[in-house]
Amino acid sequence: MGETKSLDVTVQGDLEIVMTRSFDAPLALVWEAHTKAEHLSKWWARGHRADVDLDFRPGGKWRIVEHGDNGEQWAFRGEVREIVPMELIVQTFEWEGLPGHISVERLVFEHKDGKTTLTGTSTFANKEDRDGMVASGMEGGANESYRALDAYLKTLA
């Protein structure tokens, strides 16, 4: 039986949320799952169907539309700002349902002892936006997406 992994979420200062999660997968697979549309569509939307447009390069844009079980749709978008292959992605994040509230995500990928650890730091424009994200159920949604990623990574290994 495998252990159940959980997401470690920390509210830091007035503007940041830090999320850390490890995966029993090589760094190259976890990186690929985050950087290619065909992979993001399989896990990012908490296991729901997702339409993914991704221009993965500095200055490139991304957009993901998640399709709920009852026909609901949630769209998210951003711009890729920085890429250090196999180490770092910096991008903006915006839920289209609340336009203009944009955070900056810094995703750090590290491989150690056969596991890949992903640390995501989201920085918000103000405390209200940060607190609103915390109150939105973001932690539960991130946990669902990462469980879907765990299952998907097993199909790639």
Side-chain angles (χ1 to χ4, degrees):
M1 291 302 241
E3 62 181 277
T4 300
K5 292 182 193 62
S6 64
L7 180 66
D8 179 36
V9 178
T10 305
V11 174
Q12 184 170 282
D14 286 339
L15 302 178
E16 293 183 337
I17 300 170
V18 179
M19 297 186 291
T20 304
R21 176 71 150 66
S22 67
F23 300 91
D24 291 323
L27 174 60
L29 284 183
V30 178
W31 177 263
E32 189 167 309
H34 280 81
T35 61
K36 296 196 171 162
E38 64 267 26
H39 296 308
L40 284 164
S41 68
K42 305 286 194 230
W43 69 268
W44 194 91
R46 304 176 294 148
H48 291 131
R49 186 172 71 78
D51 299 322
V52 178
D53 292 312
L54 174 64
D55 180 8
F56 188 69
R57 62 179 176 82
K61 303 224 184 293
W62 65 269
R63 185 170 188 259
I64 299 175
V65 179
E66 176 181 352
H67 299 273
D69 297 330
N70 297 314
E72 314 96 333
Q73 290 186 7
W74 304 276
F76 306 86
R77 66 181 172 212
E79 180 179 313
V80 179
R81 291 190 170 173
E82 182 181 353
I83 300 167
V84 178
M86 308 293 267
E87 292 179 24
L88 173 70
I89 300 168
V90 178
Q91 62 190 9
T92 62
F93 177 93
E94 179 181 18
W95 175 46
E96 290 182 6
L98 196 57
H101 296 271
I102 301 169
S103 60
V104 177
E105 294 185 332
R106 180 179 177 84
L107 303 173
V108 176
F109 297 76
E110 298 175 289
H111 190 72
K112 185 178 177 186
D113 300 328
K115 295 181 191 296
T116 299
T117 300
L118 176 62
T119 302
T121 303
S122 296
T123 304
F124 296 82
N126 55 60
K127 187 177 187 313
E128 293 75 25
D129 282 2
R130 193 275 317 268
D131 292 349
M133 180 64 81
V134 171
S136 75
M138 164 276 312
E139 183 174 352
N143 260 317
E144 290 174 19
S145 289
Y146 284 148
R147 279 195 293 274
L149 177 55
D150 266 332
Y152 183 63
L153 287 168
K154 288 181 175 80
T155 73
L156 297 177

